[in-house]
Amino acid sequence: MQEDVAVQRDHVGSLAKGLAVVEILSRAPGGLRLTEVAELAGLTRAGARRLLLTLVAEGYAEQRERRFVLSAKLLSVARSYIGEASVWSYATPILRGVSEALGESCSAAVLDGEDVVYVARAAGRRIVSVQLAVGARLPAYCTSMGRVLLSGLDAAELAGFLEKASIGTNTPNTVTDRQALAGLVAEAGRAGYAIVDQELEIGLRSIAVPVRDRAGRICAAVNVSTQAARFSCDEMHGTILPLLKQAAALIEDFLALQ
Amino acid sequence: MQEDVAVQRDHVGSLAKGLAVVEILSRAPGGLRLTEVAELAGLTRAGARRLLLTLVAEGYAEQRERRFVLSAKLLSVARSYIGEASVWSYATPILRGVSEALGESCSAAVLDGEDVVYVARAAGRRIVSVQLAVGARLPAYCTSMGRVLLSGLDAAELAGFLEKASIGTNTPNTVTDRQALAGLVAEAGRAGYAIVDQELEIGLRSIAVPVRDRAGRICAAVNVSTQAARFSCDEMHGTILPLLKQAAALIEDFLALQ
DNA sequence: ATACTTTTGTTCGCAATACGAACACAGGAG
DNA sequence: CTCCTGTGTTCGTATTGCGAACAAAAGTAT
């Protein structure tokens, strides 16, 4: 309670309200009228008008007849923010956020031939943890990220992959039947995630989601790998999946500007 | 003067200052300390601190030890400008069609202050190619899209622009005489396209056409940029211009429905 | 065309919000 | 350790942003 009061004291309400107006405009590509903005922002017309006129004066919005629309300036400021960063250097702190929230390893990979290749990672803090570095390769058919990435192939590509891939039995849980694998990949595509349960290595369970580029194609995957003893499959779905989806979305924001 | 007073009355200074802080942070990838932000923004520490804490509270910045850095939220909000519902999302495959036909980079931009801001692009397949991403800014006066966009201003607006714009000599080819620039803009308006030949950078040649909104106003431009060694100005006119006009027409079809 | 309704723009008194100065506390450098 | 610099907190207050009310403009229906 005391903390709330302190936060309140150092909070500039006009700035917060102005940012809320920016967000409202950002969701309205056709622009909004003053009254619409006021309603959506929960402000009086006079208050909303001041904020809108300030945004116009500062170059963030434009007034076109009776509508206010965001200008390209915000895009330009965002470009300035990401500068020359590559997607994977940009993504690493995002993965680290997930990793720290869970204490587990969080990684990103792309598909390369029959394998997934790790392109970014944040290590978990546990002693027993996944030890895969950037550049490491694992077979796509029996890894969560591989399943997700394969779900982005078209039917002919996937059929070709399954026909040619070297498929071995790593553990008693490994699915090796190529038809069954096709089904698991399709399921990953439909569900928007894949869980692989001790198929690569006994004790290793992981969950992955896709990362899509601006054109909507799956171009990478992000995952969390844990010891099977620590998270059940249900817990992965309930606890980890939302964090991964959020991370993927943040990376996709970056990719949208490429 | 009366206008200045009226503008002042409806101006929310706290919002303007907060946005200035966002811009300062956007140019500091490693983050800035409170004192640094205060100096750069011309604020007291207490004032800067409030704005920073508000940005943190609203999710736009993060405090990492003693440094404040922008968060990815800005990217997420900015992304909406070019998101699924926008004309630029619709336009990107059109630009890609042009880009693939020519092997060159094809982009769209809008006017923002003295600059053009890139809002969509399709990269060329050549190794030596234009490296400008969405959100990038270039000065309007010496770029093909800038010339086309400026031709959509009325005479008073254009005179005001030419009077105030920062004009420098980028290359020996750069036209810097403000009268001559007025002539080039007028010519772009009459001809319906502009070619800029090594005025921004030696070796860079580009051609642009306007995109008009439903009311017939020039609201954007599309261009193709190439190495001067690959296309002469005549070839640009003969080969590229028709493709660009077609692309602009397709985008205008979308805009006609807004 | 007119009449009515809705929306936007303007003004003004005022309270609450944002302000800066001063002090306390924390962190860094030598 | 001491000294310096930077950050966090408090508090009185003035200025900034507020909303209500009215005027003007735009939109809609007949």
Side-chain angles (χ1 to χ4, degrees):
Chain A
M1 186 51 84
Q2 183 175 22
E3 189 178 343
D4 287 346
V5 173
V7 169
Q8 201 97 333
R9 189 186 294 139
D10 287 325
H11 193 259
V12 180
S14 302
L15 173 57
K17 283 187 271 184
L19 293 170
V21 168
V22 170
E23 287 168 44
I24 285 162
L25 287 178
S26 81
R27 295 192 287 264
L32 293 170
R33 300 166 64 139
L34 168 62
T35 305
E36 291 170 322
V37 174
E39 279 170 16
L40 289 168
L43 300 168
T44 61
R45 287 190 303 99
R49 186 165 177 277
R50 282 194 189 91
L51 296 172
L52 286 165
L53 291 180
T54 302
L55 291 173
V56 169
E58 300 304 317
Y60 287 87
E62 292 168 4
Q63 194 169 5
R64 298 194 185 143
E65 294 157 3
R66 310 304 279 271
R67 310 193 88 82
F68 293 88
V69 297
L70 271 192
S71 80
K73 183 165 179 177
L74 195 64
L75 203 52
S76 174
V77 174
R79 164 54 56 194
S80 189
Y81 161 66
I82 57 180
E84 303 301 316
S86 75
V87 61
W88 301 121
S89 67
Y90 176 82
T92 301
I94 294 166
L95 301 183
R96 190 170 300 120
V98 174
S99 171
E100 285 172 358
L102 297 167
E104 305 293 348
S105 168
C106 180
S107 306
V110 298
L111 192 58
D112 184 39
E114 294 189 14
D115 298 331
V116 297
V117 180
Y118 278 61
V119 290
R121 79 174 300 254
R125 63 179 176 252
R126 300 182 198 277
I127 294 168
V128 177
S129 194
V130 175
Q131 299 276 63
L132 290 165
V134 169
R137 306 177 69 97
L138 289 176
Y141 78 94
C142 57
T143 53
S144 59
M145 289 201 275
R147 296 256 166 93
V148 162
L149 289 162
L150 291 171
S151 78
L153 302 184
D154 68 33
E157 285 173 319
L158 180 60
F161 176 90
L162 288 173
E163 188 182 323
K164 293 186 197 143
S166 313
I167 290 177
T169 303
N170 309 301
T171 77
N173 296 298
T174 315
V175 178
T176 56
D177 176 68
R178 294 170 196 252
Q179 289 282 88
L181 284 173
L184 288 172
V185 170
E187 178 56 27
R190 271 192 302 270
Y193 71 94
I195 294 180
V196 166
D197 188 18
Q198 309 193 66
E199 291 190 47
L200 179 63
E201 181 175 301
I202 292 288
L204 174 63
R205 183 174 283 151
S206 74
I207 178 170
V209 299
V211 176
R212 294 172 192 271
D213 66 19
R214 190 170 54 177
R217 288 174 304 241
I218 295 175
C219 62
V222 292
N223 89 339
V224 168
S225 300
T226 83
Q227 271 198 70
R230 282 206 288 257
F231 282 88
S232 67
C233 292
D234 281 349
E235 278 166 331
M236 275 193 154
H237 182 268
T239 305
I240 301 183
L241 181 59
L243 290 178
L244 278 182
K245 280 186 172 175
Q246 197 171 31
L250 291 172
I251 297 167
E252 284 166 355
D253 289 341
F254 182 100
L255 290 170
L257 298 200
Q258 304 304 306
Chain B
M1 186 51 86
Q2 186 174 18
E3 188 178 343
D4 288 348
V5 173
V7 168
Q8 199 98 333
R9 191 186 293 137
D10 288 325
H11 194 262
V12 180
S14 302
L15 173 57
K17 284 186 274 188
L19 293 170
V21 168
V22 169
E23 286 170 48
I24 285 162
L25 287 178
S26 81
R27 296 191 287 263
L32 292 169
R33 300 168 62 140
L34 168 61
T35 305
E36 291 169 321
V37 174
E39 278 170 16
L40 289 168
L43 301 167
T44 62
R45 288 190 302 103
R49 187 164 177 276
R50 283 197 187 89
L51 296 172
L52 286 165
L53 290 179
T54 301
L55 290 173
V56 170
E58 300 302 319
Y60 286 87
E62 293 168 6
Q63 194 170 8
R64 298 194 184 145
E65 296 159 2
R66 311 305 281 271
R67 311 193 85 84
F68 292 88
V69 297
L70 275 189
S71 81
K73 183 166 180 178
L74 184 73
L75 206 48
S76 177
V77 175
R79 183 185 172 191
S80 303
Y81 185 86
I82 55 174
E84 284 190 5
S86 74
V87 59
W88 305 122
S89 169
Y90 175 79
T92 300
I94 294 167
L95 302 183
R96 190 171 298 120
V98 173
S99 172
E100 285 172 359
L102 297 168
E104 305 293 350
S105 169
C106 180
S107 307
V110 297
L111 194 58
D112 185 44
E114 294 186 15
D115 299 329
V116 296
V117 178
Y118 280 65
V119 292
R121 79 175 294 250
R125 63 177 176 254
R126 301 183 197 275
I127 293 168
V128 178
S129 194
V130 175
Q131 301 274 60
L132 290 165
V134 168
R137 307 178 72 95
L138 289 177
Y141 78 94
C142 59
T143 53
S144 60
M145 289 200 275
R147 296 255 167 93
V148 162
L149 290 163
L150 291 172
S151 78
L153 301 185
D154 68 34
E157 284 174 318
L158 180 60
F161 176 92
L162 288 174
E163 188 182 322
K164 293 185 199 146
S166 311
I167 291 179
T169 304
N170 308 301
T171 76
N173 297 298
T174 313
V175 178
T176 56
D177 178 70
R178 293 170 197 252
Q179 289 282 86
L181 283 172
L184 288 171
V185 170
E187 176 58 27
R190 272 192 301 271
Y193 72 94
I195 293 179
V196 167
D197 187 19
Q198 308 192 67
E199 291 190 49
L200 180 62
E201 182 174 300
I202 292 288
L204 174 64
R205 185 173 282 150
S206 74
I207 178 170
V209 299
V211 177
R212 293 174 192 270
D213 66 21
R214 193 172 49 176
R217 286 174 305 241
I218 294 175
C219 61
V222 291
N223 89 339
V224 167
S225 299
T226 83
Q227 268 197 76
R230 283 206 287 260
F231 282 88
S232 66
C233 292
D234 280 348
E235 279 167 330
M236 277 195 153
H237 184 269
T239 305
I240 300 182
L241 182 58
L243 290 179
L244 278 182
K245 281 187 171 175
Q246 196 171 30
L250 290 172
I251 297 168
E252 283 165 355
D253 289 343
F254 183 96
L255 289 170
L257 302 190
Q258 305 305 304

